[in-house]
């Protein structure tokens, strides 16, 4: 294959479309932030206290937990496309319930369903993207999820700014109604794109897999590459199934190599949640309130905050396939720890005390550090959360393992979002110390325990962990028959 391939490949365009799931995640996560700052919202729901505000936010994470937990079943049985469509259906229903919420219970149920949709889609879409990508574009394709999350958050925050300017007691319903639109578009549209060839191979549908692989990758002049690459994928999956047989959930922790895979795939999401990004995203208006900003100022600054992530994510697409995964992880966590150290010092030395003059320079510096947290996460750590988990698991376990990864992700996020408003209300700036320590710890773990996977195919990554022995240099088993279908060689076991 030529090293000068165009960016706008079929797989890249497909990854952008699948990224609507990331947009849904970002928008659903972001729209609650300005809603909590709207007087019409708080008045309608009788000024919810800190625990109830935490529940309204965190029930979304609970729904996402349930959605991600179901992915190992839905994705393996239904296929990658139908599993995504299944999740999106719940997103449409959840958006409708939230937009029409007559009381807080209806709002919470709608948010739970939206969370279920997001958990399902974010559990499947990165796997789907990784499975259709070439090695040299895999990071870029899966990193589009983070870019689309950022754009979703951006649109949500500026929707909140618009709601704040709209003088209507139902202004908060607009953003909740918009949630259903991306879910509907993705749920219908995903059924019209090709399935994952690797999933089709896993199900023994080799001819369909070969034809689908060719539709994804054939460009009119790479016939030989399509033959050899598909043969390697098919052989690798056959080796996995021969070595591992039919694997279940318990097999994820049965052997040391599998446990290491699970640790590598899970810890990067744990690090992302312990980075404090969920706290900043969901409760930044509360942070700005501690600086004595009024409603319009809170919404405006949160809108400006939302502009940072999309730009950072776009920039990351230009280097994410060129710089080692490990180097990006270490750099990001170290810089996040330093950023929170500065935020803590500024908040401690220059508190905004009622009826006392405020230090404008300190306020601006603190907000700048919050913006730097967003830029850092969006360009460095954030994309790695979508890239690393799908690539470190074998094909047979990829859906189940990614489900476990997302369960861990949403479990930590649920705890952070439920506890943050209470902690901020009770201990103030001292809460930021937690994120200084967690990011410093993550820096050490990435430096000491993570392998480098950049530049390796999904099949070559198997060799890093040592639980699948490569046989691709050996001749094919004589009991297997090689046939040709649509220009691609298909290896079939003789009956």
């Amino acid at each position: 294959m030529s090293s000068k391939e165009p960016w706008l490949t079929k797989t890249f365009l497909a990854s952008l479309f699948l990224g609507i799931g990331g947009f849904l995640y970002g928008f659903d996560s972001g729209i609650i932030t300005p809603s909590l700052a709207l007087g019409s919202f708080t008045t309608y729901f009788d000024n919810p206290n800190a625990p109830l505000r935490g529940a309204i936010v965190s029930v979304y994470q609970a729904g996402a937990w349930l959605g991600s937990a179901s992915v190992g079943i839905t994705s393996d049985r239904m296929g990658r496309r139908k599993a995504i469509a299944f999740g999106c259906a719940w997103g449409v229903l959840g958006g409708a319930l939230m937009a029409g919420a007559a009381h807080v219970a209806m709002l919470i149920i709608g948010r739970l369903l939206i969370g279920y949709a997001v958990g399902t889609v974010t559990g499947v879409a990165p796997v789907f993207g990784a499975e259709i990508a070439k090695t040299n574009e895999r990071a870029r394709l899966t990193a589009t999820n983070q870019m689309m999350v950022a754009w979703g958050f951006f649109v949500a925050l500026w929707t909140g700014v618009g709601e704040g300017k709209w003088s209507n007691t139902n202004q908060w319903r607009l953003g909740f109604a918009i949630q259903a639109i991306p879910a509907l578009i993705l749920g219908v549209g995903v059924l019209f794109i090709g399935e994952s060839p690797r999933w089709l191979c896993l199900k023994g549908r080799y001819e369909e897999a070969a034809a689908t692989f060719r539709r994804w990758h054939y460009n009119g002049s790479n016939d030989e590459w399509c033959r050899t690459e598909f043969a390697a994928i098919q052989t690798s999956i056959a080796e996995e199934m021969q070595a591992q047989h039919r694997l279940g959930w318990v097999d994820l922790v049965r052997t040391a190599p599998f446990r290491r895979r699970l640790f590598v795939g899970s810890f990067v999401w744990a690090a992302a949640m312990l980075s404090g990004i969920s706290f900043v995203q969901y409760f930044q208006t509360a942070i700005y309130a501690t600086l004595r900003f009024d409603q319009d100022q809170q919404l405006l600054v949160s809108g400006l905050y939302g502009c940072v992530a999309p730009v950072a994510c776009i920039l990351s697409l230009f280097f994410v396939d060129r710089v080692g995964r490990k180097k990006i992880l270490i750099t990001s966590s170290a810089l996040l720890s330093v950023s929170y150290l500065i935020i803590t010092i500024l908040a401690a030395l220059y508190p905004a005390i009622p009826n006392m003059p405020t230090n404008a320079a300190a306020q601006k510096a603190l907000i700048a550090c919050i913006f730097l947290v967003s830029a850092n996460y969006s360009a460095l750590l954030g994309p790695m959360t979508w890239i690393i988990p799908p690539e470190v698991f074998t094909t047979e376990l990829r859906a189940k393992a990614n489900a476990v990864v997302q369960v861990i992700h949403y479990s930590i996020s649920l705890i952070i979002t439920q506890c943050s408003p209470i902690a901020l209300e009770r201990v103030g700036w001292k809460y930021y110390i937690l994120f200084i320590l967690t990011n410093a710890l993550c820096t050490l773990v990435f430096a000491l325990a993570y392998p480098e996977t950049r530049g390796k195919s999904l099949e070559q990554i198997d060799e890093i962990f040592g639980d699948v022995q490569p046989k691709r240099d050996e001749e094919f088993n004589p009991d297997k028959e090689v046939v040709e279908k649509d220009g691609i060689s298909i290896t079939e076991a003789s009956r």
Side-chain angles (χ1 to χ4, degrees), residues 192-203:
F192 292 91
I193 65 176
E195 184 55 88
S196 162
R198 285 180 167 89
W199 179 80
L200 292 170
C201 282
L202 192 63
K203 296 300 178 181

Side-chain angles (χ1 to χ4, degrees), residues 95-222:
L97 284 175
M98 289 186 70
H103 44 72
V104 73
M106 193 172 172
L107 178 74
I108 287 175
I109 292 171
R111 192 150 167 82
L112 181 74
L113 294 179
I114 282 282
Y116 182 89
V118 167
T120 302
V121 174
T122 57
V124 181
V127 169
F128 193 0
E131 289 182 341
I132 64 174
K134 300 187 185 82
T135 299
N136 64 346
E137 65 175 0
R138 188 175 64 245
R140 179 163 56 90
L141 262 61
T142 47
T144 58
N145 286 283
Q146 181 62 36
M147 181 185 72
M148 294 297 282
V149 170
W151 280 107
F153 205 80
F154 168 83
V155 173
L157 292 180
W158 283 103
T159 298
V161 174
E163 287 174 337
K165 299 297 183 183
W166 181 28
S167 298
N168 189 299
T169 55
N170 290 312
Q171 58 189 175
W172 55 272
R173 297 183 188 272
L174 174 63
F176 293 157
I178 291 173
Q179 293 175 111
I181 297 175
L184 181 63
I185 293 172
L186 178 60
V188 174
V190 73
L191 298 175
F192 292 91
I193 65 176
E195 184 55 88
S196 162
R198 285 180 167 89
W199 179 80
L200 292 170
C201 282
L202 192 63
K203 296 300 178 181
R205 295 156 61 178
Y206 298 116
E207 291 190 8
E208 188 179 349
T212 302
F213 184 87
R214 192 173 178 85
R215 284 197 299 271
W216 278 121
H217 296 295
Y218 184 62
N219 62 14
S221 61
N222 63 343

Side-chain angles (χ1 to χ4, degrees), residues 266-279:
S266 301
F267 187 80
V268 67
W269 263 117
M273 295 301 97
L274 293 172
S275 72
I277 194 66
S278 294
F279 162 61

Side-chain angles (χ1 to χ4, degrees), residues 65-359:
W65 189 98
L66 294 172
S68 57
S70 70
V71 161
I73 299 173
T74 57
S75 182
D76 276 345
R77 293 185 181 179
M78 302 168 66
R80 312 313 190 204
R81 298 179 307 155
K82 291 180 181 178
I84 291 173
F86 172 76
C88 288
W90 294 105
V92 174
L93 178 59
L97 284 175
M98 289 186 70
H103 44 72
V104 73
M106 193 172 172
L107 178 74
I108 287 175
I109 292 171
R111 192 150 167 82
L112 181 74
L113 294 179
I114 282 282
Y116 182 89
V118 167
T120 302
V121 174
T122 57
V124 181
V127 169
F128 193 0
E131 289 182 341
I132 64 174
K134 300 187 185 82
T135 299
N136 64 346
E137 65 175 0
R138 188 175 64 245
R140 179 163 56 90
L141 262 61
T142 47
T144 58
N145 286 283
Q146 181 62 36
M147 181 185 72
M148 294 297 282
V149 170
W151 280 107
F153 205 80
F154 168 83
V155 173
L157 292 180
W158 283 103
T159 298
V161 174
E163 287 174 337
K165 299 297 183 183
W166 181 28
S167 298
N168 189 299
T169 55
N170 290 312
Q171 58 189 175
W172 55 272
R173 297 183 188 272
L174 174 63
F176 293 157
I178 291 173
Q179 293 175 111
I181 297 175
L184 181 63
I185 293 172
L186 178 60
V188 174
V190 73
L191 298 175
F192 292 91
I193 65 176
E195 184 55 88
S196 162
R198 285 180 167 89
W199 179 80
L200 292 170
C201 282
L202 192 63
K203 296 300 178 181
R205 295 156 61 178
Y206 298 116
E207 291 190 8
E208 188 179 349
T212 302
F213 184 87
R214 192 173 178 85
R215 284 197 299 271
W216 278 121
H217 296 295
Y218 184 62
N219 62 14
S221 61
N222 63 343
D223 188 72
E224 183 61 29
W225 179 87
C226 286
R227 292 169 184 263
T228 57
E229 188 70 12
F230 181 77
I233 290 171
Q234 186 186 357
T235 305
S236 176
I237 292 174
E239 289 172 5
E240 290 176 16
M241 295 180 69
Q242 183 179 12
Q244 303 164 352
H245 309 292
R246 285 292 174 184
L247 298 176
W249 295 94
V250 176
D251 294 290
L252 287 169
V253 295
R254 191 182 298 278
T255 66
F258 275 19
R259 288 194 294 271
R260 189 183 178 209
R261 287 178 186 268
L262 189 60
F263 170 77
V264 170
S266 301
F267 187 80
V268 67
W269 263 117
M273 295 301 97
L274 293 172
S275 72
I277 194 66
S278 294
F279 162 61
V280 170
Q281 287 178 341
Y282 290 127
F283 300 108
Q284 56 177 300
T285 53
I287 297 173
Y288 305 146
T290 65
L291 301 179
R292 293 167 54 192
F293 287 8
D294 61 27
Q295 173 184 298
D296 288 343
Q297 288 175 313
Q298 292 173 36
L299 292 174
L300 178 59
V301 176
S302 67
L304 293 173
Y305 170 92
C307 297
V308 175
V311 175
C313 286
I314 290 173
L315 292 176
S316 75
L317 297 181
F318 292 95
F319 65 79
V320 74
D321 267 316
R322 301 180 181 181
V323 181
R325 317 276 201 255
K326 190 170 181 176
K327 184 180 294 185
I328 289 175
L329 291 170
I330 294 170
T331 301
S332 182
S333 291
L335 290 177
L336 283 167
S337 185
V338 172
S339 297
Y340 280 107
L341 176 62
I342 297 171
I343 290 171
T344 303
I345 292 171
L346 289 171
L349 294 180
Y350 304 102
I353 302 173
N355 302 318
M356 294 289 289
T358 58
N359 189 309

